[in-house]
Amino acid sequence: MQEQFGKVTVTYDKATTVYDHVSPNDDSIKVPLSENRDPRYQENMALETFADEGHDLRRMEAPGWGELYHFSHLRVNLTEWLPIREMDRVLEFGADTGQLTGGSLEKAKEVACLEERPGRCRILAKRHSSAGNLRVYAGNMWKNLEALPGGFDWIIAPGVLEQAGLWFPGENPQVQAIQKLKDRLNPGGHLVLAADNRLGLKYWAGAANPHNGVYFDNLEGAGCGFTKQELERIFEESGLIDAAFYYPYPERWFPVSIYSDRRLPKTGELNRNLRNFEGERLVLFDEEKVYDRLIADGRFPEFSNAFLIVTGTSEGDCPVYVKYSNDRAERWAIRTDILETADGRQVRKVPVSSQAKEHIENMKRREASLARQCAAGGIRANRCELRDGAAYFEFLEGRTFEERLDELRSRRDYAGLAAALQDYRRLLLACLAPELAPFEKSARFIEMFGDPAFAKAYEGAPVNNLDWIFGNLMEAAEGMEVIDYEWTFEVQVPVEYLLWRALSLYLHSRTDLQSLGLMAQMGISSHEEQIFAEMEHHFQLWLLQGTVTIDAQ
């Protein structure tokens, strides 16, 4: 039996209603459950109605957990970054409602999705109905896998590790499942797996098991998930000798960053931890501070909340680090990769929406403007090259200005920290000085920052990199460089706003510094702080352009 949704065909096996899990070696059809009483059927109908009505979660306040889980645009971040090529065949094993599918469709020659539940298959087909390279198969996934012809270059099976025991009774069900999937890979193919870490830091800090709402049962061994050591044993027994571990952060449902053993997080980076949208949680300690201690001790991989495993990769195939900036207006939605090749590392910025292509192309023009501006202060703008629809930048080794400040902070050298801030102020003014002119509100300024009532006159340059923040200044071997200038605009702003913005972002999570009067030492009054905060709020709304971020949902 088949059903058509636009260009997508859904093929159903003999059991076309909701049914229990079946063994891959069981030829019989399980007795269907009564659809009008089965809660899974009712959930599918609710989700299908949601999909039919075309709701956009980017514009929704407070969606339900089910809608967020199935339809958030951030779900695809888990695998969208994989280097799938245009002639590749991709298999999604356990595709659910197609949360990850879009990340493969725009790249691959063919995508086949296997999913047990017919209702989920219909939702998947509807949300990707314009894709001519997608086929969906409903029912017993293992039997459908046997029936599919040929091999695959990528098999993406994010749920198979945790669900293997439902299909393979007895010992080592994960090993059996992996070996069956491995058999369908083409030579040089890639198997992609995911799992929650049952020792993830969020469970120690007070997050409940997301599947049953029970606190600490993952830590006690009664819940779901695997430790890194358990997964390494499973992979060794499965013959996955080239399994590369990646670490989605904050978790694997709505990741914003993907770390790897070749690029682990740095202190201060893991500051988005209260992400339990499925229910209430406890807050037993400050996870950011504990993460910083684990990072310093080299133990982050053991306590990452989730694992993503990619096999069959070689040097240069996959990025060593990925960061998504797509929880904002689509015209700014990009992905930042760190690539590692035989020639060294590079930074690549990629549009993740068609609307963001212009934003990427403008980065080369911004480099030219900033290079001229920065030269006045004796520093450089990181070189940019446009290639294959992406912007490539030098990867610089060195110490950021933020790291310099944090070193002084760690020694409680507050006088040295205040002196370093004055160095920053002099450097910024030296770069802008040749272009400074009396500040005047323009229509562009009011559009971006509102119409603040300034109490005094300011000066400003005609072109400004709003991200003259401490983390974007790198002390490299060749001298100081500006390494990220995405928010460079042809708009005049007060120099003091740039100073406030850099220091405000730095102080935000460093409560021990907030009573030192550093703003006043930078020449910014408390009244100006309020005005600049209002400007920043307006600027963030301008960047969102109506988008409701996941943290606001």
Side-chain angles (χ1 to χ4, degrees), residues 17-18 47 70 107 116 194 207 234 275 282 347 358 362 372 376 400 421 425 432 474 500 508:
T17 56
V18 180
L47 292 174
H70 288 280
K107 303 175 186 178
E116 280 193 338
I234 290 170
R275 300 286 291 268
L282 306 175
V347 177
E358 183 180 359
N362 283 338
R372 181 188 68 252
T400 67
L421 290 175
R425 184 176 186 276
L432 299 182
M474 175 73 75
W500 170 86
H508 178 70

Side-chain angles (χ1 to χ4, degrees), residues 417-428:
L417 189 148
L421 290 175
Q422 293 303 317
D423 291 341
Y424 166 84
R425 184 176 186 276
R426 284 189 290 270
L427 183 62
L428 175 60

